[in-house]
Amino acid sequence: MQTLEIKNLTVEVERKTILNNFNLTIKEGEIHAIMGPNGTGKSTLSKVIMGDPSYQIKEGSITYNGQEIQHLTVDERSRMGIFLGMQMPMEIAGVTNADFLRSALHAKEGNNFKLMPFIKELDQAVEQLQMNKDMIHRGVNCGFSGGERKKNEILQMYLLKPSLVMLDEIDSGLDVDSLKIVGENVMHYHALKQPAILLITHYQRLLDYIKPDFVHIMVDGHIVKSGDASLVTEIEQHGYDHYKIEKKKKITTIGTCAVKESLKHE
C-alpha cells in the first residue's frame, strides 16, 4: 500500500518556523482535508512535500512508499507519482498545453509513451472538464481565467496519473459551475485510480463535492484537531479562532502544571 508519512516535521523559511513538529499519515485511497486560517502553513506543507527548495527542513522526515524523499528533487518526486495542483498556477509563454503535457508524460513513461493514445486521452479529458478545445494549443495558462487555470491543473492530473494528489486551494477563483466540474472530476479520478489525496482549503464548499475521509484543523504550523467529515460542521459553527483559543488554553495549562511540578521538588 502506497503511504505518505510525515514525522515530526519542522520547516523554516527566512529563519521563520512555518511547520512546527508536524505529523500526518495518508494511505492509498484516503482523502484528507486540511483546513485552517491564513498563514498557518497549509500551502507550505504541500510545497515542502513537492520539494520546493525555498523551504528548509530543520527536523523530521517525509516518507513515501517507504522511501525518504526530502533529499529528492521535484522531478524525482514527480516520477514517484506525487502531484501538486497549485493555488496560483504560473504562465509558461511559448509552450502550448499539448506540448507541455506530451513532454511531461514522455519524461515519465520513456519508451512506453505512445502519441496517439495520448492525443485521444487528452481530448477526452478536455471534454470531460468542459474546457475550450483551443486551450490545449495555447501557452500554458496564458490568458486563462482563474477557473480555467484550475481546470488545467486537473487536466494535468488526469494525464500524469499520480498516486498522491495534493490540491492547494483548488477551489479559489472558481465560480459555482466550475467548482462542481472540478470537484466531480477529482472524485471521478479517485474512483478510477484510488490515489491518496491531500486537499488544502479554507471553505466547506469544496467538500460538498470532494468527500474527505479525514479532516484536520491546522493552527500555527501543526494539526490541533482531527476527525471525520463532521468536523467541517464544527468549523462552520465555531470558526478557526475557537481552536486558537483552545490551543492557548492547552499551552497555559501545560505551563502551569510544569511550574507546579517544579515547585514540588524545591
Side-chain angles (χ1 to χ4, degrees), residues 19-52:
L19 297 180
N20 184 12
N21 196 32
F22 186 93
N23 292 274
L24 181 66
T25 298
I26 305 178
K27 297 179 180 179
E28 178 182 335
E30 293 180 347
I31 301 177
H32 290 242
I34 292 187
M35 306 182 72
N38 286 324
T40 196
K42 301 186 302 299
S43 293
T44 293
L45 174 65
S46 64
K47 292 176 182 177
V48 170
I49 294 170
M50 199 68 243
D52 188 329

Side-chain angles (χ1 to χ4, degrees), residues 78-262:
S78 180
R79 286 188 177 92
M80 291 181 71
I82 301 174
F83 173 86
L84 172 59
M86 293 184 288
Q87 181 180 354
M88 298 180 65
M90 66 180 67
E91 294 184 5
I92 306 177
V95 179
T96 68
N97 263 319
D99 287 341
F100 175 79
L101 286 166
R102 183 174 64 247
S103 296
L105 203 58
H106 191 276
K108 179 183 177 182
E109 296 183 352
N111 293 332
N112 293 322
F113 175 79
K114 300 293 186 292
L115 181 60
M116 291 311 296
F118 162 75
I119 294 173
K120 181 180 179 181
E121 190 172 5
L122 178 60
D123 288 341
Q124 288 175 342
V126 166
E127 183 176 354
Q128 190 163 319
L129 286 163
Q130 299 182 34
M131 297 174 68
N132 188 320
K133 291 183 179 180
D134 291 341
M135 288 183 176
I136 62 174
H137 303 298
R138 289 164 55 184
V140 178
N141 292 321
C142 292
F144 286 21
S145 68
E148 289 168 342
R149 291 184 184 218
K150 297 307 175 68
K151 285 184 180 181
N152 210 28
E153 296 292 284
I154 304 305
L155 176 66
Q156 294 171 25
M157 178 194 73
Y158 265 126
L159 271 293
L160 293 173
K161 300 180 181 64
S163 53
L164 170 61
V165 176
M166 298 183 291
L167 300 175
D168 183 9
E169 296 191 31
I170 199 72
D171 50 337
S172 66
L174 294 180
D175 59 30
V176 174
D177 293 331
S178 294
L179 179 67
K180 184 175 186 291
I181 291 168
V182 166
E184 288 179 348
N185 274 278
V186 171
M187 288 305 293
H188 179 253
Y189 180 77
H190 181 262
L192 287 175
K193 300 296 182 181
Q194 285 295 298
I197 296 181
L198 175 61
L199 296 174
I200 295 169
T201 184
H202 287 294
Y203 305 111
Q204 175 269 341
R205 62 177 191 160
L206 178 64
L207 306 184
D208 288 340
Y209 301 103
I210 305 176
K211 304 297 184 181
D213 301 298
F214 303 94
V215 175
H216 311 280
I217 300 174
M218 191 172 177
V219 174
D220 294 337
H222 64 273
I223 291 171
V224 296
K225 187 169 185 177
S226 297
D228 58 21
S230 64
L231 187 54
V232 177
T233 303
E234 184 179 310
I235 295 169
E236 288 184 316
Q237 292 174 346
H238 299 291
Y240 294 124
D241 286 343
H242 171 76
Y243 302 100
K244 293 180 182 179
I245 293 169
E246 288 298 315
K247 183 189 173 189
K248 287 180 181 178
K249 285 181 180 178
K250 184 177 180 181
I251 292 172
T252 301
T253 302
I254 291 171
T256 302
C257 290
V259 171
K260 288 180 178 179
E261 188 66 25
S262 177

